[in-house]
Amino acid sequence: MVDVSRTFTVRRPLDEVVAYLRDFANAVDWDPGTQKCERIGADPVALGTRWHNESKLFGISTELVYELTVDEPDHLKFTGTNKTASTFDDLTFGRGDGDSTIITYHAHVEFNGAAKLADPVAQLAFNRLADSVPKQMTTVLEKR
């Protein structure tokens, strides 16, 4: 199991931040590992919307299908699955000073079967990756 969390502030209003992050296809901009992320279907983004995600982390490529499983004004959760793992990208939001937003990014990965043996190494790798999310997400959001 991998579990990482980072809290940081961006200089953008909460409503704008949530609206942008609610479309997981935007992960190609803010998630350092995401190579490609496309919505499945043409319906507007809503609870149950799914995305096909292709990521590459430390030389290992993987594909997952993510689903928007929590869709609230101050909380978004995306649940990703494939045969090797289940992953949860959980984003909570609070109002900061002025037009700023406090974001808590929490990523949790549960490996299946023999992949569980990778837990200790994966935790170290995800710690490094999670360190880059606040900077990349802040840069993307503040340019909007």
Side-chain angles (χ1 to χ4, degrees):
M1 174 178 65
V2 172
D3 200 65
V4 295
S5 183
R6 301 293 185 269
T7 299
F8 54 100
T9 301
V10 297
R11 294 182 315 254
R12 298 298 294 175
L14 186 139
D15 296 345
E16 289 180 18
V17 169
V18 173
Y20 175 77
L21 294 174
R22 193 170 171 262
D23 185 351
F24 202 64
N26 291 324
V28 297
D29 298 326
W30 61 262
D31 179 11
T34 296
Q35 304 289 301
K36 187 176 183 181
C37 192
E38 297 176 340
R39 187 165 14 136
I40 299 169
D43 292 334
V45 174
L47 194 64
T49 298
R50 298 181 320 140
W51 293 262
H52 177 257
N53 180 284
E54 297 176 17
S55 295
K56 189 171 188 176
L57 303 171
F58 307 103
I60 300 170
S61 296
T62 189
E63 295 184 32
L64 296 109
V65 172
Y66 277 88
E67 180 178 341
L68 180 57
T69 54
V70 174
D71 186 12
E72 299 171 355
D74 62 352
H75 185 198
L76 300 171
K77 186 173 183 179
F78 301 92
T79 302
T81 56
N82 66 16
K83 64 180 180 177
T84 307
S86 295
T87 181
F88 309 92
D89 284 31
D90 199 336
L91 299 150
T92 55
F93 309 94
R95 295 195 190 280
D97 295 336
D99 277 338
S100 66
T101 301
I102 301 164
I103 301 171
T104 297
Y105 170 76
H106 180 218
H108 181 83
V109 181
E110 294 177 4
F111 292 103
N112 304 321
K116 287 181 181 183
L117 298 173
D119 277 352
V121 173
Q123 181 67 51
L124 293 173
F126 272 84
N127 280 337
R128 258 184 62 203
L129 184 68
D131 287 340
S132 63
V133 169
K135 181 179 180 183
Q136 193 159 332
M137 191 182 288
T138 299
T139 299
V140 168
L141 288 166
E142 290 182 354
K143 283 183 181 178
R144 297 190 42 75

